Amino acid sequence: MLWIPAVAALALVVLPVVGLLVRSDLTRLPSLLVTSSSLNALRLSLVTAALSTVACVVLGVPLAVVLARSRVPGVRMLRSIVLLPLVLPPVVGGLALLYLLGRKGFLGILINWLTGEQVPFTTAAVVIAQTFVAMPFLVVSLEGALRGSGDRYEQVASTLGARPWTVFRRVTLPLLLPALGSGVVLSFARALGEFGATITFAGSLEGVTRTLPLEVYTQAEVDIDSAVALALLLIAVAVLVIAVARPRSWEGGLR
């Protein structure tokens, strides 16, 4: 009996993609995908998604360890705040970033005073927006892994005289590696498909902030065939990233 809802769930995911394939003009598909605007959007998406994934790892790994191991009062509330981008509409996140780092935001005013530069509507703004929406995926993966594994190995290492940094480097990080792989893939895929926060905080400037999802939105108002072709390209890139980069642990262990 489980096959009935399982097939319905699979159809809900697969049939919209089939609808795009049916609607696409296969004869024009190659020419639509090699335009300068399409290639610029693809390049920008891959570069910014990679940079935001690195930022997610650098910032998210320590945050996940703190949330999983800290006994400080209020850590549960802190966890809820960290996971807020998972439930916030991306447009709301973009507005929040804009009023933090924009010309009238208190941090934006400080950055402009120190450097003379503005963050919104730049490529850096794209990376920040993608990191904002993607980092919770990494934190959730790592924190769950740490809580599931417990802290007995770290306690044993501490009782044997290992320093805290040694415990983190030699015990905690190896425990995180499988979850880190899946978290990195999820973060990259989420950053690659980010739209709402990007268009609100970074705008849609070709070659600067117009990533592939924004290019799909732009072309949908001008040439629907081009929009469908780019949507299929985005789907293909996302599937390729997940299929190639995902850890084998997702499939139930090593083959």
Side-chain angles (χ1 to χ4, degrees):
M1 293 299 296
L2 293 178
W3 276 98
I4 297 175
V7 170
L10 185 62
L12 185 62
V13 176
V14 173
L15 290 182
V17 180
V18 174
L20 284 176
L21 288 171
V22 173
R23 175 60 182 79
S24 63
D25 186 353
L26 296 180
T27 59
R28 295 182 59 198
L29 191 61
S31 61
L32 292 173
L33 295 179
V34 296
T35 62
S36 60
S37 60
S38 300
L39 294 177
N40 286 335
L42 177 61
R43 176 191 58 79
L44 184 64
S45 290
L46 294 175
V47 171
T48 55
L51 291 175
S52 64
T53 303
V54 173
C56 288
V57 172
V58 172
L59 301 175
V61 171
L63 180 57
V65 174
V66 169
L67 291 178
R69 295 290 188 252
S70 177
R71 300 295 183 265
V72 177
V75 70
R76 180 174 297 181
M77 178 61 67
L78 180 61
R79 184 182 301 112
S80 301
I81 296 173
V82 170
L83 300 183
L84 197 58
L86 290 177
V87 296
L88 274 181
V91 175
V92 175
L95 281 175
L97 291 171
L98 186 62
Y99 287 108
L100 171 67
L101 297 169
R103 289 186 299 175
K104 296 183 179 180
F106 65 90
L107 195 54
I109 293 174
L110 179 61
I111 292 174
N112 183 257
W113 180 71
L114 292 174
T115 66
E117 302 292 336
Q118 296 182 8
V119 177
F121 309 107
T122 63
T123 304
V126 177
V127 176
I128 293 172
Q130 291 176 345
T131 304
F132 176 79
V133 300
M135 189 167 59
F137 289 88
L138 182 73
V139 174
V140 167
S141 299
L142 298 185
E143 187 190 4
L146 284 173
R147 288 183 176 275
S149 62
D151 60 353
R152 59 187 182 276
Y153 297 114
E154 294 158 318
Q155 290 181 358
V156 169
S158 297
T159 58
L160 292 176
R163 296 179 179 273
W165 176 248
T166 303
V167 173
F168 175 75
R169 183 170 52 89
R170 301 292 298 272
V171 180
T172 306
L173 280 182
L175 290 174
L176 285 177
L177 286 181
L180 181 61
S182 61
V184 165
V185 173
L186 288 174
S187 298
F188 183 85
R190 179 65 186 89
L192 194 65
E194 162 53 30
F195 174 81
T198 303
I199 197 172
T200 306
F201 180 51
S204 181
L205 305 174
E206 184 175 350
V208 180
T209 65
R210 186 178 298 172
T211 57
L212 201 53
L214 272 64
E215 181 67 16
V216 172
Y217 179 78
T218 301
Q219 292 298 326
E221 300 178 346
V222 180
D223 184 357
I224 192 63
D225 290 333
S226 179
V228 171
L230 292 173
L232 290 174
L233 175 62
L234 185 58
I235 292 172
V237 172
V239 170
L240 181 64
V241 167
I242 295 174
V244 172
R246 68 178 180 177
R248 290 185 178 182
S249 59
W250 284 17
E251 299 176 1
L254 297 175
R255 292 183 178 177

